[in-house]
Amino acid sequence: MFSIRILSLATTALVALVGVSNTQNITSDTFFYGQSPPVYPSPIGTGTGNWSEAYKKAEAMVAQMTLDEKSNLTFGISSKTNGCSGNIPAIERLGFPGLCLQDAGNGVRATDFVNGYPSGLHVGASWNKDLAYKRALAMGGEFRSKGVNIVLGPVVGPLGRVSQGGRNWEGFSNDPYLSGSLVFETVRGIQENGVITSTKHFIGNEQETNRNPITNVAGQYVESISANIDDKSMHELYLWPFQDAVHAGTGNIMCSYNRLNNSHGCANSKTLNGLLKTELGFNGFVVSDWFAQHSGVSSALAGLDMAMPDSEGFWGSNLTTAIRNGSVPMSRLNDMATRIIASWYQMGQDNGYPTPGIGMPVDVLASHKAVNARNPSSKQVILDAAIEGHVLVKNVNNALPLKSPKLLSLFGYDAKAPDQNDPAAGFGSWIAINGTIISGGGSGANSPAYISAPFDALQEKAYQADTTILWDFINVNATANVDGASDACLVFINAFASEGFDRVGLHDDFSDALVNNIADQCSNTIVVIHNAGVRLVDQFIDHPNVTAVIFAHLPGQDSGRALVSLLYGDFSPSGKLPYSVPMNESAFGALLSPALPAAPYTLFPQDDFTEGIYIDYRAFDAQNITPRYEFGFGLSYTTFGYLNLRILARSGVSRNTYPTGLIREGGAEDLWDVITTVTADVKNTGAVDGAEVAQLYVGIPGGPIRQLRGFSKVHIQAGHTATVSFDLTRRDLSVWDVVVQQWKLQSGKYYIYVGTSSRILHLDGTLTI
Ligand SMILES: *[C@@H]1O[C@H](CO)[C@@H](O)[C@H](O)[C@H]1NC(C)=O
Ligand SMILES: *[C@@H]1O[C@H](CO)[C@@H](O)[C@H](O)[C@H]1NC(C)=O
Ligand SMILES: *[C@@H]1O[C@H](CO)[C@@H](O)[C@H](O)[C@H]1NC(C)=O
Ligand SMILES: *[C@@H]1O[C@H](CO)[C@@H](O)[C@H](O)[C@H]1NC(C)=O
Ligand SMILES: *[C@@H]1O[C@H](CO)[C@@H](O)[C@H](O)[C@H]1NC(C)=O
Ligand SMILES: *[C@@H]1O[C@H](CO)[C@@H](O)[C@H](O)[C@H]1NC(C)=O
Ligand SMILES: *[C@@H]1O[C@H](CO)[C@@H](O)[C@H](O)[C@H]1NC(C)=O
Ligand SMILES: *[C@@H]1O[C@H](CO)[C@@H](O)[C@H](O)[C@H]1NC(C)=O
Ligand SMILES: *[C@@H]1O[C@H](CO)[C@@H](O)[C@H](O)[C@H]1NC(C)=O
Ligand SMILES: *[C@@H]1O[C@H](CO)[C@@H](O)[C@H](O)[C@H]1NC(C)=O
């Protein structure tokens, strides 16, 4: 009855292809159909939990709509009055003003009078839930002021499986727990302004290469890459942070470009109807990534609710035709419209919300009314968030903080501001040679109100602190310019990444040579790396004159100001790596670089996620690979001691093997029941105040040796002790049971570790369930 091709329910379609010679190219994708299990019909949203009022109002409004009015809600139009990335037209007779959808997760993009916030990866490196919330609250206020109804972010997919992935920096971490905890706070903070978050990209969008269909040099149509993810890895890695976003009430989810088991992300009934709308009980609506819709009837039936930036001929009058001829039931269109309008009511956008797109000029170069979205009260969070995402990984003989330096020599292309305040200035290259980066590039970039580059901030500091600074940002060798009386040499390099392409490497010879050349001539060489992803350091890390290294990530517009406060010791660094840094690319194996089309599937590229849940530290732990800097690692100007691990079983909480709760946003309600609370004391044993990120890892019976399941950032004065507490929920202690299709609490002995990184675990104990 559906006009989609479901030929078989083969669960191992790839195995079924053994007969196919790999010297031939397969030219039909017919045999792939049925590989992604069909889940129909699309669940009709009912408005669970605190969405019930919004649903009642939405159902009432949708009941008054004509077929064309409902249809109009489901696809974008180009606006002549605003420059939003996407627009849904108004239905004026019903008092619905339309919707503006705008980039992106790290600040409002492509307009004026807004701030450039630290990127997702930088927030990940701060490991600070409260700060993530405050950043989101401030950032969300700007989207609201600009009349943006739906912010196209935050990002939790890509998770960061492929080390060279071009968009990994937009998300928080390749660890699902860290990413999930921070996206929860981000969704909450943004939506508290009444702005709808579009948590993206759902799901398996782990590389930029072949993310979209292309025509190859031979003129053949090459499909988008198929992420072939098994059910367990889907739940325990990729879906996990989306689950947190839905639990936080995200009003929108954006489906992705890639295919999953050969079915397009925006027409995949298993992921949209099944995982998202059934299992996670999602009340909101699904929007396509821009041009990610490739079919009309089948995407409607699979659970897509809104196509962007337009119908591309798939919906519009073709959808209404399909409704009239019965290919798409009217109930599906009603559900699309209801989910969209309910999200609008749920955030209170019916009540005093700015006009859609009011602050988004069609052309910022043309004369237009200024709509200031910047709020002076956001200054502190922009600076704090910039400071806390810096990770100090090497600090020999207390090279840092600087101690009243008389003379600093500065080197490197990344020290000064780019000639244009365009965060995407390095587009197409692997380093941004023309200036410092505060964000990656592409649609996830933002529009800083200014850029405090390291050089600017050091100039200002030189004035305040009576430091002499010398600089050479041009010569790679700079032989002539290392003044022999320098107290320190600071070398600034970067590693750029952008939407649209994957990185070509994890380090570059030009920057490495620059560092080594300076180090050859300067006994106190401090390296600052603005990195949009993992950046290797083994090419210079053992140079005896390299005394300190900071991963400075993507700090947003207060970059230099934040860095200088750390260099001069106003604050102690408190960031930790949200990924592992190996000694060599080879440590990543096949997950170093993106999958490429390969015979026999040259026209239907396949990416089998055969590593399962073993990415990043899970893989290094399992394979006994010693990283240069492990996941969770980061130094401080002080030291911390850990003592008194306590593991307290909560009474009165069910320990049944499977959850039994009602499905609410995020899944079964009792997945969030706290089964056990772990506490520990952390003492600042050094001489200065500082913040520590205490981390809890759990060895679940049968699972990887350790997985992050808790973290707590605490500021502790020198000599003082703080108690950190970690709540372990049913989900935290469960594994996905692929047979029963439920989260399963294991019975047996769980290992609990608490410490300062994934490999420096001062305290351990066990928990038996
Ligand atoms: C298969 O496709 C690739 C890429 O399009 C091409 O280089 C190769 O020659 C093709 N092989 C055959 C046997 O057609
Ligand atoms: C993909 O196929 C695997 C193996 O059959 C299955 O476990 C998984 O649920 C499928 N996922 C999707 C989204 O189709
Ligand atoms: C649908 O939207 C278009 C604007 O894109 C508008 O011109 C048209 O009148 C709308 N149709 C209905 C029935 O509201
Ligand atoms: C409907 O689909 C046809 C065939 O795909 C396409 O040519 C046409 O433009 C579509 N109509 C609309 C109104 O989008
Ligand atoms: C119904 O309309 C849709 C959209 O035009 C078309 O793709 C489909 O083939 C039609 N089905 C029937 C049974 O006419
Ligand atoms: C619904 O609950 C969420 C999560 O507790 C909260 O953030 C949000 O403000 C609530 N919304 C409404 C409309 O009550
Ligand atoms: C750097 O600037 C030069 C000159 O303006 C320009 O030609 C080049 O493309 C820029 N390089 C990058 C990587 O942006
Ligand atoms: C200058 O740098 C280049 C490129 O890294 C290197 O080959 C050369 O040896 C350096 N020369 C000196 C004098 O350091
Ligand atoms: C370290 O720097 C000093 C200059 O201060 C230089 O003489 C020495 O050769 C350097 N060491 C190395 C290993 O390059
Ligand atoms: C990384 O491994 C490759 C190949 O195994 C080797 O050529 C290279 O020297 C290694 N790099 C470092 C920094 O060890």
Side-chain angles (χ1 to χ4, degrees):
M1 65 179 267
F2 301 125
S3 66
I4 44 171
R5 290 169 289 173
I6 299 169
L7 298 185
S8 80
L9 297 185
T11 49
T12 50
L14 293 178
V15 177
L17 293 175
V18 282
V20 176
S21 156
N22 68 2
T23 56
Q24 282 177 312
N25 287 330
I26 292 173
T27 53
S28 162
D29 61 350
T30 319
F31 50 79
F32 285 128
Y33 289 96
Q35 202 184 342
S36 192
V39 181
Y40 298 99
S42 192
I44 292 176
T46 56
T48 55
N50 73 5
W51 283 68
S52 62
E53 282 305 307
Y55 260 74
K56 270 188 212 133
K57 291 182 203 164
E59 282 159 5
M61 187 191 275
V62 171
Q64 297 176 61
M65 290 182 188
T66 65
L67 178 63
D68 285 335
E69 283 171 340
K70 287 183 236 181
S71 164
N72 256 7
L73 291 175
T74 67
F75 65 96
I77 54 161
S78 67
S79 165
K80 290 182 185 62
T81 57
N82 71 54
C84 299
S85 312
N87 279 283
I88 292 294
I91 307 176
E92 266 150 27
R93 75 176 186 94
L94 297 176
F96 175 70
L99 300 170
C100 158
L101 296 84
Q102 179 62 24
D103 298 323
N106 304 316
V108 191
R109 188 174 78 96
T111 190
D112 45 18
F113 304 105
V114 292
N115 292 302
Y117 287 79
S119 295
L121 188 66
H122 204 83
V123 178
S126 77
W127 294 63
N128 188 333
K129 285 176 254 196
D130 182 52
L131 192 55
Y133 168 75
K134 287 180 176 150
R135 164 185 174 272
L137 192 63
M139 206 164 66
E142 299 189 20
F143 282 94
R144 181 186 176 106
S145 299
K146 288 290 190 179
V148 175
N149 303 82
I150 298 156
V151 42
L152 303 173
V155 170
V156 291
L159 186 67
R161 168 184 183 253
V162 177
S163 305
Q164 293 177 1
R167 300 189 83 167
N168 294 351
W169 60 275
E170 293 185 49
F172 306 100
S173 168
N174 56 26
D175 179 83
Y177 183 90
L178 179 54
S179 182
S181 302
L182 296 172
V183 80
F184 181 87
E185 300 299 336
T186 302
V187 166
R188 213 164 61 84
I190 292 175
Q191 291 197 160
E192 225 151 89
N193 294 282
V195 184
I196 299 169
T197 52
S198 178
T199 306
K200 63 187 190 178
H201 307 84
F202 192 76
I203 190 170
N205 191 168
E206 295 294 327
Q207 63 177 57
E208 292 302 279
T209 305
N210 290 93
R211 66 176 182 166
N212 271 316
I214 51 164
T215 302
N216 69 14
V217 285
Q220 296 164 303
Y221 186 78
V222 181
E223 259 298 359
S224 52
I225 191 96
S226 177
N228 302 328
I229 309 177
D230 69 274
D231 195 31
K232 178 180 167 73
S233 311
M234 175 61 92
H235 283 84
E236 295 183 14
L237 279 194
Y238 302 100
L239 186 64
W240 181 291
F242 281 103
Q243 181 168 19
D244 287 301
V246 175
H247 189 221
T250 190
N252 181 234
I253 292 278
M254 182 190 288
C255 52
S256 57
Y257 289 126
N258 58 288
R259 296 174 303 146
L260 292 123
N261 291 356
N262 293 286
S263 160
H264 283 285
C266 292
N268 189 306
S269 68
K270 168 69 180 172
T271 56
L272 302 179
N273 289 342
L275 299 178
L276 182 62
K277 290 183 174 177
T278 305
E279 194 183 311
L280 300 189
F282 178 57
N283 285 313
F285 65 101
V286 175
V287 68
S288 75
D289 201 344
W290 269 228
F291 305 108
Q293 189 193 29
H294 298 288
S295 60
V297 171
S298 64
S299 64
L301 297 177
L304 179 67
D305 301 304
M306 181 189 282
M308 279 290 160
D310 54 43
S311 79
E312 286 180 89
F314 292 116
W315 283 358
S317 65
N318 280 339
L319 181 59
T320 50
T321 302
I323 298 278
R324 287 202 186 90
N325 75 16
S327 313
V328 175
M330 180 65 98
S331 56
R332 181 71 266 269
L333 179 61
N334 288 341
D335 181 53
M336 294 180 193
T338 304
R339 286 174 176 274
I340 293 164
I341 298 293
S343 303
W344 179 74
Y345 276 125
Q346 174 72 2
M347 306 300 151
Q349 292 189 2
D350 57 316
N351 188 5
Y353 203 79
T355 305
I358 186 79
M360 300 298 304
V362 180
D363 175 5
V364 283
L365 302 181
S367 168
H368 61 274
K369 184 168 166 281
V371 175
N372 183 28
R374 301 181 61 209
N375 185 333
S377 70
S378 304
K379 278 184 155 166
Q380 192 63 48
V381 72
I382 292 170
L383 179 59
D384 289 346
I387 291 171
E388 292 203 18
H390 286 76
V391 183
L392 176 67
V393 292
K394 182 175 184 182
N395 194 16
V396 176
N397 298 329
N398 299 316
L400 290 176
L402 300 167
K403 285 145 206 85
S404 309
K406 289 283 161 284
L407 176 61
L408 296 177
S409 294
L410 319 179
F411 303 95
Y413 56 86
D414 181 73
K416 60 180 177 44
D419 290 343
Q420 290 184 308
N421 69 339
D422 178 1
F427 195 85
S429 58
W430 63 353
I431 59 173
I433 195 85
N434 288 340
T436 198
I437 54 170
I438 61 152
S439 153
S443 68
N446 50 27
S447 300
Y450 55 82
I451 291 177
S452 167
F455 184 42
D456 304 323
L458 283 161
Q459 291 271 35
E460 178 63 19
K461 189 69 185 182
Y463 171 76
Q464 290 165 2
D466 292 319
T467 311
T468 296
I469 51 175
L470 302 174
W471 62 91
D472 179 348
F473 302 140
I474 297 171
N475 292 302
V476 187
N477 294 7
T479 315
N481 289 323
V482 179
D483 186 302
S486 301
D487 292 302
C489 298
L490 303 180
V491 188
F492 295 89
I493 61 175
N494 66 43
F496 185 69
S498 173
E499 178 187 11
F501 57 93
D502 293 306
R503 294 166 66 198
V504 285
L506 300 181
H507 69 93
D508 70 283
D509 293 343
F510 179 84
S511 305
D512 293 338
L514 173 63
V515 172
N516 282 316
N517 289 338
I518 302 302
D520 285 349
Q521 300 154 63
C522 183
S523 61
N524 188 20
T525 301
I526 294 163
V527 184
V528 177
I529 311 170
H530 285 112
N531 57 315
V534 180
R535 207 296 181 183
L536 303 191
V537 292
D538 266 59
Q539 292 67 27
F540 55 74
I541 199 70
D542 288 330
H543 194 300
N545 287 349
V546 171
T547 53
V549 175
I550 295 174
F551 285 113
H553 296 116
L554 302 167
Q557 67 192 27
D558 273 350
S559 174
R561 186 169 290 117
L563 177 73
V564 168
S565 74
L566 293 168
L567 293 175
Y568 276 76
D570 302 339
F571 301 99
S572 180
S574 63
K576 304 269 187 166
L577 293 173
Y579 50 78
S580 306
V581 180
M583 297 185 191
N584 197 313
E585 284 90 347
S586 57
F588 287 118
L591 301 187
L592 172 64
S593 40
L596 299 172
Y601 311 116
T602 45
L603 304 183
F604 314 98
Q606 304 295 310
D607 189 5
D608 296 338
F609 286 39
T610 49
E611 74 288 346
I613 61 172
Y614 292 91
I615 66 168
D616 201 84
Y617 70 88
R618 289 167 175 78
F620 294 167
D621 286 348
Q623 296 164 30
N624 258 327
I625 293 173
T626 304
R628 171 57 59 186
Y629 298 117
E630 71 272 17
F631 178 86
F633 178 75
L635 298 170
S636 163
Y637 296 154
T638 186
T639 50
F640 298 97
Y642 282 71
L643 54 167
N644 299 332
L645 183 73
R646 288 169 298 257
I647 301 172
L648 316 159
R650 289 282 188 98
S651 56
V653 179
S654 157
R655 293 176 173 218
N656 290 341
T657 308
Y658 298 106
T660 52
L662 294 172
I663 300 295
R664 289 288 178 254
E665 286 216 310
E669 277 182 318
D670 48 343
L671 284 175
W672 315 100
D673 284 356
V674 176
I675 304 258
T676 298
T677 298
V678 176
T679 65
D681 296 334
V682 183
K683 181 170 189 194
N684 183 338
T685 50
V688 297
D689 299 351
E692 167 71 333
V693 180
Q695 300 163 39
L696 178 144
Y697 294 82
V698 178
I700 300 174
I705 182 159
R706 285 184 276 283
Q707 303 192 75
L708 183 72
R709 285 293 186 261
F711 62 94
S712 174
K713 190 165 194 174
V714 275
H715 190 269
I716 313 174
Q717 288 175 293
H720 288 238
T721 299
T723 299
V724 289
S725 174
F726 312 92
D727 284 340
L728 294 172
T729 65
R730 171 180 280 278
R731 184 182 64 150
D732 294 335
L733 297 172
S734 295
V735 299
W736 180 253
D737 184 327
V738 298
V739 177
V740 178
Q741 291 290 298
Q742 288 274 24
W743 287 98
K744 181 182 187 183
L745 204 54
Q746 301 290 79
S747 54
K749 197 187 273 182
Y750 288 68
Y751 290 88
I752 307 284
Y753 307 89
V754 173
T756 190
S757 80
S758 64
R759 291 198 170 205
I760 308 174
L761 297 158
H762 304 91
L763 306 175
D764 60 85
T766 59
L767 158 73
T768 302
I769 290 181

